[in-house]
Amino acid sequence: MTHPTRTSASNATQAGRFALYLDGVRCWTLKFIRERQHDSGAWFAAVLSGILLAGVSSMPAHGQSLVATVPVGSSPTAVAVNETTNQIYVANIGSGTVSVIDGGTNAVTATVTVGTNPEWVAVNSTTNTIYVGNYGLGGPTVQTPGSITVINGTTNATTTIALPGVGGGVAVNPVTNQIYAGTSNVRGSNSVLIIDGTTNATTATLTVPNEPRSFVVNTATNTIFCLNTTQPGNGDVAVIDGATGAVTANIGVGFDANVIALNQTTNTVYVGNPNSFTTPSISVIDGGTNAISATVTLQGAPNAMVVDPATNKVYVDAATSSGAGVLEIDGSTNTILATIPATFPLGPMLVNSKTNTIYDAGSPIIVINGSTNATTSVAIPSGGSGGAVNETTNYIYVAASSTTDVYVINGAIAGPAFTATPSPIAFGNQVQGTTSGPATTTVTNTGTTTLTISTVVEGGANAADFAVSADTCTGASVAPKATCSFNVVFTPSIIGSEAATLTFTDNAPDSPEVLSLTGTGTIPPITPSSTALTASATSVVAGASVTFTATVTPAVGTPTPTGTVTFMDGATTLGTGAVNASGVATYATSGLSVGAHSITASYGGDGRNASSVSGLLAVTVTTQASTTTLTSSAPSVVVGSSVTFTATVTGGTGAAQPTGTATFMDGSTTLGTGTLNSSGVATYATSALLSGSHSITAIYGGDGNNAGSTSSAVPFTVWPGPPNFTMTLSPSSGTFKAGTPAVVTITVTSVNGFASAANLSCGTLPPNTVCSFSSTAVTPGTSGTATSTLTINTNTKPTTTASNRDVPGPTGGRRPFRTPIAAAGTVLVFLLLPLLSATNRKLRRTLLALSAVAFLVVLMSGTISGCGGGPTTPAGNYSIQITATAGGTSQNVTYALTVQ
């Protein structure tokens, strides 16, 4: 697994060839040291690397003073900073140790023994844990496997995680506390191990196409990009989904790909391709689509690369046709903006995005102002092999593998200087609709004069989802090395990546400073729900309405459930109800059948709440009592006549209208049936009833909702003939002296149900006789009688024509002058006759006087004779007819009257 030195292309310039030569020699040297240490001893590696790097460091340099030079172990290679604790960790490949430097004192506080050839260091500042990637020893047929040394940042105690092959880089996602370690073995098996940072256990082993070299982690999207290549050969970037732990894509990049960088703000990955046999380039990968979106052609092979997310610029340390230089690339357009001169040997690229300062850590260190591209230099004895920036303190740490030192540079500039930590603020994954814990950001004045902050303004597409609180920076005057702070919380309203900015306006030269805010809204977890079911009543009559109420309760912290509830009667669906803002759904029905029912409510769930089913609710439905009444079209009929019986069935309050049939009974004999109409009425008509008395009832048989019921008996009579009556007198005869009244009782008796009024009258009466009735009309009840008293008075002058008619006397003779008036009238006529022919006035006067005297005499004689008697009923026997009439029917009886 050694890598031979590569030659340049025939058309490369001398400077390009030299740069490629240095790059190839450096890679070969580190490999050679790792692979030959067990044969020749540590002194061989130290001597060889010293010779090589000493030769490289003999290039011209611009010297400047350093803050400190800190002695560490042999061949320091990789550097990492824990900004939270201000501790710096240096991997010493030659001595197999890690030196711990206190950033406050710039002194080594501990030397931790790790594995063979430690080349990579990653820090999880959240858990204060350091992960050291130990390469081990490689060879074409025999290997000493590498390992991961886990250092407790508080105690410096260690734990070792074995690798199946030599090491190939290490990275940490502090949001998920997952560690990613590359490894390869002689059988050509290349893989990435996923390690749980809590248990240090390997949770997955992923296969990648080539030897893993390095990683970048996008904490906002929880995506890991692993650069793997076998030099010489084409490179590849494996995309790992941190949530599922699976490789989702393998993206082919350029030949001999050697460096990788990430702009987390734009989710863009950059890969440097030395392309020693073709054209050098940068492959630009869109982290959203996992596809190459652009290729930036370079004039020389890339040696190191860094991204400033605050300005969206990429800085590449590369050899050019005119020598070494730093290429400034616009991340928006993927075009080269400038070539900033640098010197050999080329070193690692570092950036402080808070101060917009870029460092090419060669010898000397080239310091680039990101706003103007102006450069200054800091002289160090030897070019760097690794380095790191503490953006909180604005100190830069550069390790030189040709020495045993780490160079400490103070990045402070004259005047006020704005530095925010952390920057950018990456919240990582946050459940949609929930609020993260506060992320506290500290602003430090890393300059030499007071920093005055006038405004802090939120902006960006998703500014509403990032809220600032506890802000002590707005309007603050921050003394040199003093701080102010503020909190930011993230409440994603969408599912997916979100970004915003905080823009600070102050008196620093680079004002306004823009602080990026990122986070990803994730699908909320579905949490259990519970459904409770109640009913307005658990025992109801058929047809009565019952309302079922389902209350769906979410888990604590989960929004109120939405959606629908299905109400079931056993396996039968009754209906559904929508869940309201209180988590309640209702369903009302009056259609439950008679019997026992087992009701449940089934909630279907939504995006946040799982489905749930209530317990069984027993509901009993009973039939409703009914009432049946019976009427007939007549109380009685003549045999052969039709009669109609009507049964009316009434259900109970709230019950459904009774349906079905009613059976009509004559005693225990069934007459027939009738179907109830929409009003609950059934009828039956018949003309077949026999004469006599009947007792009629109606029996309702009930239906699914109403119980049966029987009417009261209705008596009914069928008469053998048409209605009539009889009349009798009591007594039917009598003998009385004239003037003595005869009293007779008349009895009218009903026949065949006669019940009408019979009008009474007298026929021919004796002279001077009248009759009268106590009631001139009598009405017998059905099958009953009615009476009236008849009184016959004789010697009474009739008052009406009917009672004063002349009747022949016992002898049968007639008397023409029966009264004095008649006699007087006759005399007067004869006396007046002479007057009609008398011509002598005196004679007529005399005759008139005589006539008047005669008339008075006759009249007085009659009057005198009447005072002694009056009207008399002659003695004799009389037959008086009494008549009773009712409509067209009449009956006559005769009363025999004897007058003495």
Side-chain angles (χ1 to χ4, degrees), residues 16 124 188 210 409 468 518 532 598 621 626 656 750 831 844:
N124 187 341
N210 298 297
I409 297 101
V468 176
T518 61
S598 294
V621 180
S626 67
S750 171
L831 290 177
R844 285 191 304 191

Side-chain angles (χ1 to χ4, degrees), residues 652-853:
T653 302
Q657 179 67 49
T659 60
T661 60
T663 301
F664 295 85
M665 305 290 294
D666 180 5
S668 60
T669 302
T670 300
L671 297 177
T673 60
T675 301
L676 271 63
N677 63 17
S678 59
S679 300
V681 175
T683 60
Y684 175 75
T686 182
S687 58
L689 293 177
L690 301 177
S691 61
S693 297
H694 299 267
S695 179
I696 309 299
T697 56
I699 302 174
Y700 170 56
D703 59 14
N705 297 322
N706 299 274
S709 57
T710 302
S711 71
S712 299
V714 174
F716 185 75
T717 304
V718 179
W719 305 109
N724 207 334
F725 63 89
T726 59
M727 183 173 59
T728 59
L729 302 179
S730 179
S732 60
S733 62
T735 301
F736 302 93
K737 290 183 179 181
T740 300
V743 178
V744 180
T745 298
I746 302 174
T747 300
V748 176
T749 301
S750 171
V751 177
N752 291 337
F754 176 83
S756 301
N759 297 308
L760 303 177
S761 64
C762 294
T764 302
L765 294 173
N768 299 320
T769 301
V770 296
C771 68
S772 61
F773 299 93
S774 61
S775 175
T776 58
V778 293
T779 303
T782 301
S783 301
T785 62
T787 60
S788 180
T789 301
L790 168 65
T791 301
I792 301 174
N793 291 298
T794 56
N795 290 350
T796 301
K797 183 178 179 178
T799 59
T800 64
T801 302
S803 62
N804 196 34
R805 289 176 289 188
D806 291 335
V807 296
T811 60
R814 299 185 63 86
R815 294 181 294 175
F817 302 105
R818 290 180 295 179
T819 66
I821 295 176
T826 302
V827 174
L828 179 59
V829 172
F830 283 104
L831 290 177
L832 292 178
L833 287 176
L835 292 177
L836 300 175
S837 60
T839 60
N840 188 298
R841 180 178 298 176
K842 185 175 179 181
L843 177 58
R844 285 191 304 191
R845 187 178 298 124
T846 301
L847 290 174
L848 181 58
L850 290 175
S851 298
V853 172

Side-chain angles (χ1 to χ4, degrees), residues 19-174:
L20 294 176
Y21 167 76
L22 291 177
D23 175 62
V25 169
R26 179 178 291 109
C27 293
W28 179 86
T29 300
L30 291 175
K31 278 284 188 179
F32 187 83
I33 292 173
R34 291 192 300 248
E35 295 169 0
R36 296 290 181 262
Q37 272 188 328
H38 67 288
D39 296 326
S40 305
W43 65 269
F44 178 81
V47 170
L48 183 59
S49 61
I51 293 172
L52 174 65
L53 294 178
V56 173
S57 64
S58 64
M59 299 295 293
H62 298 282
Q64 289 196 11
S65 60
L66 304 175
V67 172
T69 298
V70 183
V72 289
S74 174
S75 300
T77 302
V79 183
V81 173
N82 186 338
E83 294 191 2
T84 302
T85 61
N86 195 19
Q87 298 293 298
I88 300 88
Y89 298 87
V90 182
N92 305 301
I93 191 171
S95 56
T97 60
V98 168
S99 299
V100 182
I101 301 174
D102 185 336
T105 63
N106 289 326
V108 173
T109 59
T111 299
V112 182
T113 299
V114 292
T116 303
N117 291 323
E119 287 193 31
W120 305 275
V121 182
V123 174
N124 187 341
S125 59
T126 302
T127 61
N128 193 16
T129 307
I130 300 86
Y131 299 88
V132 180
N134 305 298
Y135 177 81
L137 290 175
T141 59
V142 179
Q143 290 181 337
T144 299
S147 63
I148 302 296
T149 301
V150 182
I151 302 175
N152 184 316
T154 302
T155 65
N156 290 324
T158 62
T159 301
T160 301
I161 302 172
L163 297 177
V166 295
V170 65
V172 175
N173 185 339

Side-chain angles (χ1 to χ4, degrees), residues 14 45 76-77 135 176 190 309 325 424 515 544 554 605 704 731 745 747 813 816 841 858 875 889:
Q14 185 64 32
T77 302
Y135 177 81
T176 62
N190 306 301
L515 177 63
T745 298
T747 300
R841 180 178 298 176
V858 174
T889 302

Side-chain angles (χ1 to χ4, degrees), residues 175-176 203 215 291 314 405 431 463 494 497 578 597 617 621 626 667 733 738 796:
V175 175
T176 62
T203 60
F215 297 86
V314 183
D405 297 326
V431 174
I494 63 172
S497 297
H597 299 265
L617 178 65
V621 180
S626 67
S733 62
T796 301

